[in-house]
Amino acid sequence: MQKVIAGYTVDVTQEGYLVNQSQWNRDIASEIAKELGIESLTSGHWKVIEFLQKDFAETGKIPTIRRVNKVGNIGTQELYALFPEGPLLKATKIGGLSKPVSCV
């Protein structure tokens, strides 16, 4: 399935996650964030997104919230403050990653 996000045509799943991470960019991230109710991405948001992308590149797996806490040094409360109602779902979607297996 294809969708136009921020003027770019990208391949997405039925749930709107990017299929090909190489199609991701910061403009797309900002637009997806707005769709999810996050009006602007702060340095805190980018810290989480960059950790998720880096960790995925290194391990080949989407990190769990526990790993984000322990390895990324980003607390659960901070995650929920930045990405309310499903921080890992929202952060991975904004970051151009696939839906976490640990999330329903």
Side-chain angles (χ1 to χ4, degrees):
M1 202 162 98
Q2 290 190 323
K3 180 177 180 179
V4 176
I5 305 173
Y8 299 91
T9 302
V10 294
D11 299 313
V12 296
T13 66
Q14 201 165 13
E15 294 175 295
Y17 289 85
L18 265 63
V19 173
N20 184 349
Q21 190 183 5
S22 69
Q23 294 178 323
W24 179 89
N25 63 44
R26 284 181 170 239
D27 293 334
I28 289 172
S30 295
E31 190 64 32
I32 293 171
K34 287 177 186 169
E35 289 175 8
L36 296 175
I38 300 170
E39 284 305 311
S40 64
L41 295 171
T42 65
S43 60
H45 291 102
W46 288 115
K47 177 183 172 184
V48 174
I49 291 164
E50 289 167 1
F51 171 77
L52 293 172
Q53 291 175 333
K54 181 178 182 274
D55 197 66
F56 177 77
E58 290 173 0
T59 66
K61 295 185 245 176
I62 302 293
T64 62
I65 286 181
R66 181 181 179 104
R67 185 166 174 82
V68 173
N69 294 161
K70 300 292 182 194
V71 179
N73 295 314
I74 302 164
T76 302
Q77 288 182 326
E78 182 181 359
L79 278 172
Y80 275 91
L82 292 167
F83 302 96
E85 302 169 13
L88 210 50
L89 286 170
K90 289 183 178 183
T92 54
K93 192 173 207 177
I94 294 167
L97 300 168
S98 59
K99 182 179 179 182
V101 177
S102 61
C103 298
V104 180

